[in-house]
Amino acid sequence: MNAPLPLDIAEAAALLRAGRLVAFPTETVYGLGANAKNADAVLSIYETKGRPRFNPLIVHCADLAMAESLAEFSPLARQLAEAFWPGPLSLVLKLRPGHGLADVATAGLDTVALRVPDHPLALALLRETGLPLAAPSANPSGRLSPTSAEQVQRGFAGKVPVLDGGACKSGVESTIIAIDEENLIQLRAGALAREEIERVTGLKVQKAATGAAISAPGMMLSHYAPNAHMRLDAVPEAGDAWLAFGPSAPFAGISRNLSASGDLREAARNLFAMLHELDGTGAKSIAVAPIPETGLGEAINDRLRRAAAPRE
Ligand code: AMP
Ligand code: MG
């Protein structure tokens, strides 16, 4: 029971191209992969994991060329990629115009975390699909990261197809480094030691400060923060921008509707783009309609609450 499906690369690639999820092995842990350019596919990651918040996801690439089609590589970024890819190093870089990634994969940020995994099956799958794959660990939210296909299979009760590559070498997540000009900032410690990065670049790797003294504004925020003041569970007033959900009375000011039919998946798909649009009008305040706390609504509300929280 619950034996991993005997999925081969061609079948796995076909599922991913069709917008479905496939769990696949990397050298760190098994990832729950989706086409990072397809918002619905990425939202399925959240639904399947039962993840209560939208985090920016690490986007896995077949090679440096694919990564360079998505983000801006400075000479320093290229040096790190050439030294450590394929390998357990995720680089947070500025998105490139025309990148095509779904904003639910980057959680609405203008940066993206990219890496090339060091595993023959992961690389074969990435090459076969030709797609960047968003892939957080393939476990239900709050449970341990899986290092075998059997664990993935058990975790999701056999509902997610798994490419079986045996046991993962490392079991430790990738090291995440943000690059801002000549500054290297470690956002997460992981399988690649900081000293290795320092040895190759001759630069000191700063550890991400929690809260205070952020040397590279924007790079450190792992959530999108609008300029406008946000009021949640609100009724719009004159001067507000209005973010509606479900059937809503006409409003004289600027407004968007996350989903006129009250569909949470549609709302999740629209969330970041509509927040950016309303914030971009220069409105001082954004009033947001109540959104049910069920299914994807939990992650939507979490994101809105964090957008509404006072800035540190
Ligand atoms: P995972 O669940 O292993 O995919 O981990 C993703 C981690 O990468 C999260 O802790 C994120 O906060 C971090 N991350 C991904 N993209 C970015 C980004 N653009 N800026 C800052 N942190 C990021
Ligand atoms: Mg995880």
Side-chain angles (χ1 to χ4, degrees):
M1 235 186 71
N2 277 353
L5 303 177
L7 198 64
D8 68 25
I9 297 284
E11 290 164 337
L15 288 169
L16 288 164
R17 269 191 238 104
R20 303 270 304 281
L21 302 184
V22 171
F24 64 88
T26 76
E27 80 279 34
T28 62
V29 301
Y30 274 73
L32 184 60
N35 175 2
K37 295 189 171 184
N38 177 330
D40 279 310
V42 175
L43 287 172
S44 297
I45 291 179
Y46 283 89
E47 290 172 328
T48 302
K49 283 181 69 82
R51 214 184 231 205
R53 54 176 47 168
F54 292 121
N55 294 332
L57 302 174
I58 294 170
V59 174
H60 294 67
C61 296
D63 49 30
L64 180 57
M66 183 187 278
E68 285 193 286
S69 72
L70 304 173
E72 309 280 3
F73 277 71
S74 63
L76 177 56
R78 201 166 295 116
Q79 183 190 17
L80 283 171
E82 281 167 358
F84 297 112
W85 283 357
L89 172 66
S90 297
L91 295 175
V92 175
L93 303 168
K94 271 254 180 300
L95 283 166
R96 195 185 158 131
H99 56 82
L101 295 174
D103 56 14
V104 283
T106 59
L109 297 173
D110 59 1
T111 54
V112 61
L114 297 175
R115 89 175 187 102
V116 177
D118 185 16
H119 192 290
L121 286 186
L123 289 172
L125 184 62
L126 285 158
R127 287 194 195 110
E128 179 78 17
T129 58
L131 293 169
L133 300 177
S137 56
N139 52 292
S141 190
R143 303 258 292 277
L144 284 180
S145 295
T147 53
S148 74
E150 289 76 14
Q151 286 165 21
V152 178
Q153 203 69 12
R154 247 182 283 126
F156 296 125
K159 290 196 192 92
V160 174
V162 190
L163 198 55
D164 189 354
C168 299
K169 269 198 306 223
S170 157
V172 178
E173 301 164 297
S174 64
T175 301
I176 304 180
I177 299 285
I179 306 181
D180 182 56
E181 299 185 357
E182 293 298 298
N183 293 313
L184 297 177
I185 303 134
Q186 180 176 272
L187 301 183
R188 177 174 85 187
L192 179 66
R194 208 146 48 91
E195 291 76 7
E196 276 293 288
I197 297 169
E198 294 181 338
R199 191 179 56 74
V200 163
T201 59
L203 296 171
K204 191 97 191 108
V205 175
Q206 301 163 241
K207 284 202 245 175
T210 39
I214 288 171
S215 58
M219 300 302 284
M220 317 298 292
L221 274 180
S222 62
H223 66 272
Y224 163 66
N227 292 314
H229 169 76
M230 309 262 302
R231 286 199 337 277
L232 308 185
D233 293 328
V235 177
E237 292 163 11
D240 284 338
W242 169 228
L243 188 58
F245 175 80
S248 122
F251 176 64
I254 173 133
S255 68
R256 293 285 181 280
N257 197 324
L258 288 168
S259 169
S261 67
D263 176 50
L264 286 166
R265 185 173 252 268
E266 183 183 19
R269 216 190 294 122
N270 286 330
L271 178 66
F272 294 104
M274 288 185 176
L275 271 179
H276 275 289
E277 275 181 278
L278 291 181
D279 198 29
T281 65
K284 290 272 181 298
S285 54
I286 301 175
V288 186
I291 290 162
E293 193 68 41
T294 53
L296 287 170
E298 203 182 342
I300 295 172
N301 280 315
D302 170 75
R303 170 63 45 201
L304 289 168
R305 276 193 291 271
R306 290 204 273 165
R311 300 299 128 69
E312 305 96 51

